[in-house]
Amino acid sequence: MKVYMDNGATTRVTEPVYAAMQPYFCEIFGNPSSVHGFGREARKAVEAARAQVAKAIGAEPREIYFTGCGTESDNWALRGAAYANAKKGRHIITTNIEHHAVLHTCRQLEKEGFEVTYLPVDSYGLVTPEQLEAAMRPDTVLVSVMYANNEVGTIEPIPELAAVAKRHGALFHTDAVQAVGHVEIDVKAQNIDMLSLSGHKFHAPKGIGALYVRHGVRLQRLMEGGAQERGQRPGTENLAGIVGLGKAIELATGDIPARAAKMAAIRDHMIERIMNEIPHVQLNGHPTRRMCGNVNVSFYFIESESVLLHLDLRGVAASSGSACTSGSLDPSHVLLAIGVSHEHANGSIRLSLSDENTMEEADYVVDCLVETVAKLRAMSPLYEDFLKGVETVGTDD
Ligand SMILES: *Cc1c(COP(=O)(O)O)cnc(C)c1O
């Protein structure tokens, strides 16, 4: 059996999305900026996709800008807003569990003379409106808090946080790359000024993203060039990618409650079986304010890399909680931020579902985990020490 449970890293392009894109390679290939018929046809497709993206998050089409990826959207929102407002204030607030696309951009802005407050989160990964309220300053121009965490799946109280920023006259950005398609998002009702999304996290191809910028919000552009995207994001549009993004977001946001409920049932079944059938394990993240497809657990006494290797041999794709994107073995900054010890963080894995995973797959993966964890513990010196310790304690009196 082959099971893909690493949808937090990327998803497959589904057949309807692929089919929607196909004409835009060999047949409809004009440059959307060209005024001839070929170009006009391409332009029409770009604008139709812009309307699809806008509708999915409650925005207006003119508020959607296509980008190369979620990382670019995050960079543009943060740097664009920081530079555009530098005269007003140079203070930015974010959290310490953001994706590196946000965290590393903030680090860079600090080098450029901006001041950044990194709000700590609680043991579930939550940041509260009260915390944000206390951190707001007269020179705070921008607040950026992710909608849902990519590692532990915690869903932040975005409308409440955005309301605090608004009350203080600061811009509110959210990295919603993991949330789109799984959580109902309405940028107007939720007071969101900027929102990043990325196609490949919801069955569109890699290399296409978008940034929503509320009408009236001024951002400095990051690149110079042509007049594409209303002069704000130059570069000939990724025509087929944009068409795919439009189709995929329409499908992903079509019936969120039903699909999220189905995914959550599979998620909860997996969590329950893991907690019941594997000793010395902990669930990371929030028990209920949790992405419908996220399972993140720490197995004590063993290394996640060994677990992943064994799962891979049995056809199961998952990722380590440590998310060593750079190949470094540093434990995840998210797990450390929620108070997981270095040792337990090293034994963490993330299983991330899509709406295509089944209960049968879930059972197969848990069966594999039960066997794998037992096998690895039988060879683990840490586990051996632990058992000795238990014996010693038991024979003390
Ligand atoms: C994947 C991801 C990104 C980066 O998106 P790319 O399109 O891969 O650049 C940013 N933020 C979060 C929360 C993500 O999960």
Side-chain angles (χ1 to χ4, degrees):
M1 198 169 185
K2 276 185 89 167
V3 181
Y4 186 76
M5 282 204 185
D6 198 12
N7 291 280
T10 198
T11 60
R12 79 182 193 100
V13 173
T14 53
E15 285 74 13
V17 174
Y18 186 47
M21 292 174 65
Q22 256 173 338
Y24 294 90
F25 290 100
C26 305
E27 296 151 45
I28 309 169
F29 61 86
N31 186 323
S33 300
S34 300
V35 294
H36 47 60
F38 291 81
R40 288 198 307 274
E41 213 175 343
R43 166 63 48 202
K44 219 172 90 184
V46 168
E47 295 316 317
R50 198 186 309 282
Q52 285 170 312
V53 173
K55 181 161 181 262
I57 59 169
E60 298 166 33
R62 64 175 174 175
E63 297 174 315
I64 303 299
Y65 297 87
F66 293 115
T67 65
C69 55
T71 300
E72 185 191 335
S73 298
D74 284 340
N75 268 264
W76 187 15
L78 293 167
R79 306 169 84 132
Y83 301 153
N85 290 285
K87 286 212 180 76
K88 210 176 129 203
R90 298 174 79 86
H91 181 230
I92 299 164
I93 302 175
T94 185
T95 77
N96 62 1
I97 59 161
E98 298 297 314
H99 189 274
H100 285 145
V102 168
L103 279 183
H104 291 173
T105 302
C106 286
R107 295 268 181 245
Q108 178 59 29
L109 285 168
E110 283 183 286
K111 287 187 194 144
E112 295 170 21
F114 293 87
E115 215 184 313
V116 183
T117 299
Y118 300 89
L119 295 176
V121 294
D122 69 10
S123 60
Y124 295 127
L126 275 178
V127 58
T128 66
E130 292 74 27
Q131 269 179 288
L132 178 58
E133 182 74 51
M136 294 297 303
R137 306 191 325 208
D139 62 338
T140 307
V141 288
L142 172 66
V143 176
S144 180
V145 179
M146 67 199 323
Y147 214 114
N149 183 265
N150 47 305
E151 292 187 40
V152 297
T154 303
I155 299 169
E156 302 297 338
I158 293 303
E160 292 82 358
L161 295 167
V164 173
K166 186 181 181 176
R167 210 162 47 240
H168 288 265
L171 292 173
F172 188 84
H173 166 255
T174 186
D175 173 344
V177 172
Q178 289 288 331
V180 169
H182 301 302
V183 183
E184 304 262 21
I185 297 175
D186 183 330
V187 291
K188 293 283 137 76
Q190 299 174 350
N191 282 317
I192 297 165
D193 296 309
M194 294 178 281
L195 179 144
S196 303
L197 59 89
S198 176
H200 75 102
K201 303 291 174 77
F202 52 83
H203 301 301
K206 294 154 201 46
I208 183 69
L211 179 65
Y212 150 78
V213 183
R214 186 170 56 75
H215 182 65
V217 169
R218 256 177 9 90
L219 289 192
Q220 187 168 315
R221 62 173 173 265
L222 300 186
M223 292 195 294
E224 299 303 324
Q228 291 91 351
E229 298 299 284
R230 304 157 53 113
Q232 298 310 299
R233 201 281 188 176
T236 301
E237 296 87 341
N238 174 0
L239 177 60
I242 288 171
V243 169
L245 180 71
K247 182 68 179 175
I249 203 166
E250 187 176 272
L251 293 172
T253 54
D255 190 7
I256 290 177
R259 277 183 314 109
K262 184 192 150 228
M263 285 169 67
I266 298 175
R267 171 199 70 188
D268 292 341
H269 176 70
M270 291 185 80
I271 292 174
E272 195 180 305
R273 274 200 62 197
I274 290 170
M275 302 309 281
N276 285 337
E277 297 177 33
I278 304 178
H280 313 299
V281 56
Q282 75 180 36
L283 176 69
N284 300 313
H286 201 282
T288 54
R289 286 191 66 94
R290 186 179 195 96
M291 283 286 293
C292 54
N294 178 286
V295 178
N296 187 311
V297 285
S298 296
F299 300 111
Y300 301 173
F301 317 118
I302 54 178
E303 296 282 336
S304 57
E305 298 310 312
S306 317
V307 178
L308 294 180
L309 207 80
H310 277 76
L311 288 181
D312 189 33
L313 287 171
R314 305 185 62 167
V316 177
S319 69
S320 66
S322 50
C324 345
T325 40
S326 56
S328 83
L329 290 173
D330 289 342
S332 139
H333 67 284
V334 176
L335 293 175
L336 297 183
I338 64 173
V340 178
S341 67
H342 270 74
E343 188 190 327
H344 293 163
N346 282 333
S348 304
I349 71 160
R350 177 189 71 177
L351 299 150
S352 42
L353 308 170
S354 82
D355 56 351
E356 296 190 313
N357 287 115
T358 63
M359 223 28 130
E360 289 67 40
E361 290 178 333
D363 276 322
Y364 174 71
V365 171
V366 178
D367 290 345
C368 290
L369 276 174
V370 170
E371 279 176 41
T372 298
V373 170
K375 204 184 297 177
L376 290 172
R377 279 186 183 154
M379 308 185 296
S380 157
L382 284 173
Y383 190 54
E384 203 175 315
D385 289 349
F386 167 77
L387 290 179
K388 275 190 206 134
V390 171
E391 270 167 36
T392 319
V393 172
T395 51
D396 245 6
D397 48 16

